[in-house]
Amino acid sequence: MTATHEQGFFTEEDSISVVTGRNAGAKDARLQFAMEVITRKLHEAVKEIEPTQEEWFEMIQFLTRTGHLCNDWRQEFILLSDVLGVSMLVDAINNRKPSGASESTVLGPFHVADAPELPMGANICLDHKGEDMLVSGRILDTAGKPIANAVIDVWQANDEGFYDVQQQGIQPDFNLRGVFRTGADGRYWFRAVKPKFYPIPDDGTVGKLLAALGRHPYRPAHLHYIIKADGYETLTTHIFDPDDPYIGSDAVFGVKASLLAEFKRNGDAARAAELEFASPFWDVEHDFVLARA
């Protein structure tokens, strides 16, 4: 005999209740809840849009082509999630911070887990290309006290907008990457080069979608950080150049107002000589505040 929840015939008006009713025997309550929400929102969207059969099939073809582009090196579905703002929304939901703590943003695809630990003040630019830049600041708790022994993993694109893993054989391995550890004062500083904006991969389905929507594929210039310390929540974030031409229209919505750093032009020739820089150089100072675990 047909179970009670499986009874009922499909109609346009009752589509949501009929479909979700079939899931009453789900073994996982979280899955059942998620599918109820997804089904409801999806059916509501279809009823509002009223797609033609041809439009519906083109959507299926779009998803199929997106799947075909995915491999060990490329995840087109994550890119689709990024440009729809879903990746940032999931990040925000999973990284709600107490007042005063630094905000997170998306990890991105170019992190390398085994970057070398370097002495404080090291130059992470190994090929000496680009405009010299000093990056410094403090790692603090929400009470404003310095955090000792915080591990700071940093990486960035070069002055042409490429990461080392995108230009193997052109850039040295671990170029513009490094891991630093704070002392008792919580301060960090390292030498680098001014990063440049760059496009996300736009040669696939996501790029075509952006073009059709009149959107560009660019991310504004930024530096990546992962900051860890015992007793504190790990922070994955960026700092951004507020004067970048794409600062207000990041293709993946990763920019937050609190992550805008000040990129100052420093003409102090003596300080430049101490840092083994040409003069002038870029000077960026930004503090990070970690939340207690």
Side-chain angles (χ1 to χ4, degrees):
M1 182 176 178
T2 304
T4 302
H5 68 272
E6 292 181 338
Q7 295 176 358
F9 297 104
F10 189 97
T11 67
E12 183 178 335
E13 293 75 18
D14 298 331
S15 66
I16 298 170
S17 61
V18 170
V19 174
T20 57
R22 300 288 174 90
N23 302 333
K27 295 180 175 137
D28 186 301
R30 179 69 172 169
L31 174 62
Q32 182 183 7
F33 167 70
M35 288 306 300
E36 190 279 328
V37 174
I38 291 168
T39 302
R40 171 162 42 85
K41 298 294 186 182
L42 185 58
H43 281 230
E44 287 172 353
V46 171
K47 290 176 181 181
E48 183 172 349
I49 296 167
E50 295 188 337
T52 64
Q53 292 280 1
E54 292 75 18
E55 288 170 336
W56 171 83
F57 187 67
E58 178 54 35
M59 179 197 70
I60 298 297
Q61 291 292 83
F62 171 83
L63 294 174
T64 302
R65 291 190 294 268
T66 300
H68 286 164
L69 288 170
C70 298
N71 54 45
D72 289 344
W73 300 102
R74 178 168 183 163
Q75 233 304 347
E76 195 78 0
F77 276 114
I78 290 180
L79 200 62
L80 179 60
S81 172
D82 291 345
V83 303
L84 295 177
V86 176
S87 299
M88 275 300 296
L89 183 56
V90 171
D91 179 83
I93 289 169
N94 284 273
N95 290 280
R96 293 170 178 142
K97 304 292 185 185
S99 178
S102 294
E103 294 187 280
S104 67
T105 191
V106 289
L107 174 67
F110 298 118
H111 179 249
V112 173
D114 53 353
E117 184 164 339
L118 303 172
M120 196 65 77
N123 195 334
I124 63 173
C125 182
L126 305 180
D127 58 6
H128 305 291
K129 291 176 58 181
E131 299 178 65
D132 293 320
M133 182 173 68
L134 172 65
V135 185
S136 62
R138 298 172 298 163
I139 310 301
L140 307 169
D141 65 17
T142 52
K145 296 178 181 177
I147 299 175
N149 210 37
V151 176
I152 308 163
D153 187 348
V154 298
W155 69 103
Q156 65 164 96
N158 68 4
D159 64 319
E160 297 177 340
F162 293 102
Y163 294 86
D164 59 343
V165 292
Q166 295 177 289
Q167 292 188 315
Q168 292 180 339
I170 299 174
Q171 292 189 48
D173 291 344
F174 300 114
N175 192 38
L176 295 167
R177 299 178 185 274
V179 176
F180 300 91
R181 193 178 297 266
T182 61
D185 60 359
R187 293 200 66 85
Y188 74 90
W189 69 282
F190 60 91
R191 291 169 290 164
V193 294
K194 191 173 188 288
K196 186 181 179 182
F197 59 81
Y198 60 83
I200 60 173
D202 63 345
D203 58 337
T205 54
V206 172
K208 290 181 174 65
L209 176 63
L210 288 178
L213 293 171
R215 288 173 55 186
H216 67 73
Y218 287 95
R219 297 216 65 204
H222 57 274
L223 284 80
H224 294 262
Y225 288 78
I226 297 176
I227 306 172
K228 300 179 179 180
D230 289 343
Y232 296 87
E233 292 183 3
T234 296
L235 174 65
T236 300
T237 195
H238 305 357
I239 56 173
F240 293 90
D241 178 359
D243 297 321
D244 188 277
Y246 299 105
I247 197 65
S249 58
D250 183 2
V252 307
F253 303 95
V255 180
K256 296 179 179 179
S258 66
L259 304 181
L260 301 180
E262 187 175 1
F263 284 60
K264 298 178 184 176
R265 201 76 165 133
N266 191 327
D268 185 338
R271 180 60 173 148
E274 288 176 9
L275 296 167
E276 300 178 345
F277 282 168
S279 181
F281 62 94
W282 293 97
D283 199 342
V284 181
E285 186 168 359
H286 194 83
D287 294 343
F288 294 96
V289 178
L290 302 187
R292 288 278 181 185

